[in-house]
Amino acid sequence: MRPLPKNRFLRGVYLMMQRYLRHSVGIQSAALAFYLLFMIFPFLIFISALLGLLQLDVAGILRGLGELLPQAIVEFIGMYLTYVGQNPNLHLLVFGLVFSIYFPMRATNTLMRAVRTAYHLGPPRGPLRHMLKTLLYTVLLITAIASTLAVMTVGDRILGYAVTHLSLPGLVAETWARLRFPVVAAAGFFALFFLYALAQDVIQPWRNIWPGTVAALGAWMILSWLYAFYVDNIANYSVLYGSIGTVMALLIWLNMSAVALIMGAELNGTLISLRKDKAGIETGANAGGRP
């Protein structure tokens, strides 16, 4: 067996590479991307119907997505949001909600199992309990996303009305416009943190969850930005794949996102292993120094 590097950072990198191969992160991320793809369409129908019923600002949402996603994907999403948003239908909303729970549950279950693998927990102890936790997280996630969209769009209208009719200082509205994205980032942090925590059998210490959460979100944002730049300025999927070029770009982005989410849990598992190794070395040194 090849000895581990003595340097703590290099040892961590080596363990992360080992975990990627040993835990089949590539296969798990492909499965997660598959369910995420099937989740997108009913979820877009649900969000579009919600936007139409609440008369929210679709253009504002697309502008926010355009800062992270390739333009082709944003246009693809905008097509659904605009069409269904202009034709609000309560039955369509219910249809989208039902399937927006089923497929996200499958995606959440896949990600939870990957998280359990990263923490070396094995299969869930109680299948029914695990299913209830998956359902709970899925419902909370959909509620959080809908609330975030409402805050980002309705907030603009309320602030605009307050500036025009209630003499609210324009600086307040401008400050809110700048703080919206940190608020969304914080919501994303707690959503992923909650998923990592919910996948456990016992309550984990804070330090066993937050580093991977921050790393996963940071890696996802950086990868999304770089990929958006690559697709918009370098690659030309429409030439290579024709009319399905946008779908290919979407699939690649989903797979990269899945890898980032899973590797965040693997990072937490690696840090736990490093702390155990350090504690074992210190214990051995103390035992060896006794008379």
Side-chain angles (χ1 to χ4, degrees), residues 218-247:
W220 176 78
M221 294 181 67
I222 293 173
L223 286 173
S224 296
W225 184 84
L226 290 175
Y227 185 61
F229 178 83
Y230 170 76
V231 172
D232 293 338
N233 298 278
I234 300 175
N236 195 342
Y237 285 103
S238 60
V239 174
L240 295 175
Y241 301 104
S243 59
I244 65 170
T246 302
V247 178

Side-chain angles (χ1 to χ4, degrees), residues 177-254:
R178 294 180 179 179
L179 289 178
R180 286 183 305 175
F181 291 103
V183 169
V184 173
F189 170 83
F190 284 109
L192 187 57
F193 182 92
F194 186 53
L195 185 140
Y196 285 171
L198 203 61
Q200 313 294 322
D201 292 327
V202 297
I203 298 178
Q204 290 280 355
W206 172 270
R207 65 174 184 172
N208 288 352
I209 299 179
W210 77 261
T213 305
V214 174
L217 287 177
W220 176 78
M221 294 181 67
I222 293 173
L223 286 173
S224 296
W225 184 84
L226 290 175
Y227 185 61
F229 178 83
Y230 170 76
V231 172
D232 293 338
N233 298 278
I234 300 175
N236 195 342
Y237 285 103
S238 60
V239 174
L240 295 175
Y241 301 104
S243 59
I244 65 170
T246 302
V247 178
M248 297 300 299
L250 179 62
L251 279 171
I252 294 174
W253 175 71
L254 288 176

Side-chain angles (χ1 to χ4, degrees), residues 84-95:
V84 184
Q86 291 176 350
N87 301 275
N89 189 311
L90 183 59
H91 297 289
L92 197 60
L93 177 65
V94 174
F95 169 82

Side-chain angles (χ1 to χ4, degrees), residues 70-139:
Q71 189 60 34
I73 297 179
V74 174
E75 293 175 356
F76 179 72
I77 295 175
M79 178 182 64
Y80 277 87
L81 294 181
T82 303
Y83 175 76
V84 184
Q86 291 176 350
N87 301 275
N89 189 311
L90 183 59
H91 297 289
L92 197 60
L93 177 65
V94 174
F95 169 82
L97 178 61
V98 171
F99 285 95
S100 292
I101 291 178
Y102 174 75
F103 286 112
M105 275 190 64
R106 301 299 299 268
T108 300
N109 183 61
T110 302
L111 182 54
M112 278 189 171
R113 291 183 180 275
V115 171
R116 293 182 64 84
T117 300
Y119 282 85
H120 294 159
L121 296 178
R125 296 177 181 176
L128 180 59
R129 181 185 176 188
H130 179 75
M131 184 182 70
L132 291 175
K133 290 197 299 184
T134 303
L135 177 61
L136 172 64
Y137 180 82
T138 303
V139 173

